[in-house]
Amino acid sequence: MIMPRASRELLLPANPVFIWFTLALALAANLMPLGRHPALPDLLALTLVFWNVHQPLRVGVGAAFVFGLFMDVHDAALLGQHALAYTLLSFFAITIHRRLLWFTVPSQAVQVLPLFAAAHAVELAVRMLAGGVFPGWTILLAPLLESLMWPIVSVVLLAPQRRAPDPDANRPL
């Protein structure tokens, strides 16, 4: 089997408990009362996209929709605003996940930037159509910060799957 260039090392299978724990932790981080600054990165969206790319059979569009509803209720936003954005974000992340894994992690960050920008544009469009106020031009920083955080999230969330570096004559991998 030909392995993608970006993942030359073999990884252990992802633990489903760890996957859902990280998603719950990202949801909790989004629920923290840090104010409503538009440039804050959406950690839940970032974690959703990461697991959509690396484990598309475990974390899909349905999970993104449910997490989006949680965020809508928390933010007292128009019901379905985050759900629509997260669902589209997850759909397109799953669509490009095979191609994305061929790139190095910094190149992946560039590849996911349009996904994050489109998700924030959908949220903004729904908010503006519902009669909300424009949050300011600092909203353009959020997708940029999310894509800059992609390498950090990749290292942290793939750490439990990395094999221990103890090859010997009987176990060369």
Side-chain angles (χ1 to χ4, degrees), residues 30 40-47 71 82 86 116 120 123 142 146:
N30 271 10
L40 283 176
D42 191 351
L43 296 177
L44 181 58
L46 183 62
T47 309
M71 286 304 300
H82 286 89
Y86 287 175
F116 292 131
H120 283 283
E123 282 183 32
E146 290 164 1

Side-chain angles (χ1 to χ4, degrees), residues 101-169:
L101 292 175
W102 281 88
F103 292 101
T104 61
V105 175
S107 297
Q108 289 176 7
V110 174
Q111 298 283 324
V112 296
L113 176 62
L115 293 178
F116 292 131
H120 283 283
V122 166
E123 282 183 32
L124 181 64
V126 170
R127 181 183 308 146
M128 298 299 287
L129 287 173
V133 296
F134 184 68
W137 292 107
T138 57
I139 197 167
L140 297 175
L141 292 176
L144 184 64
L145 292 174
E146 290 164 1
S147 66
L148 287 175
M149 291 175 67
W150 182 263
I152 298 166
V153 168
S154 294
V155 168
V156 170
L157 294 182
L158 285 179
Q161 291 179 267
R162 300 207 189 280
R163 291 184 177 270
D166 59 346
D168 58 15

Side-chain angles (χ1 to χ4, degrees), residues 80-103:
Q81 174 181 331
H82 286 89
L84 176 65
Y86 287 175
T87 302
L88 291 174
L89 184 65
S90 291
F91 173 76
F92 288 114
I94 291 170
T95 301
I96 67 167
H97 85 276
R98 288 184 187 262
R99 181 178 64 90
L100 193 64
L101 292 175
W102 281 88
F103 292 101

Side-chain angles (χ1 to χ4, degrees), residues 31-54:
L31 299 181
M32 289 178 51
L34 298 175
R36 291 189 178 227
H37 196 273
L40 283 176
D42 191 351
L43 296 177
L44 181 58
L46 183 62
T47 309
L48 272 171
V49 169
F50 177 83
W51 288 121
N52 287 147
V53 168
H54 288 278

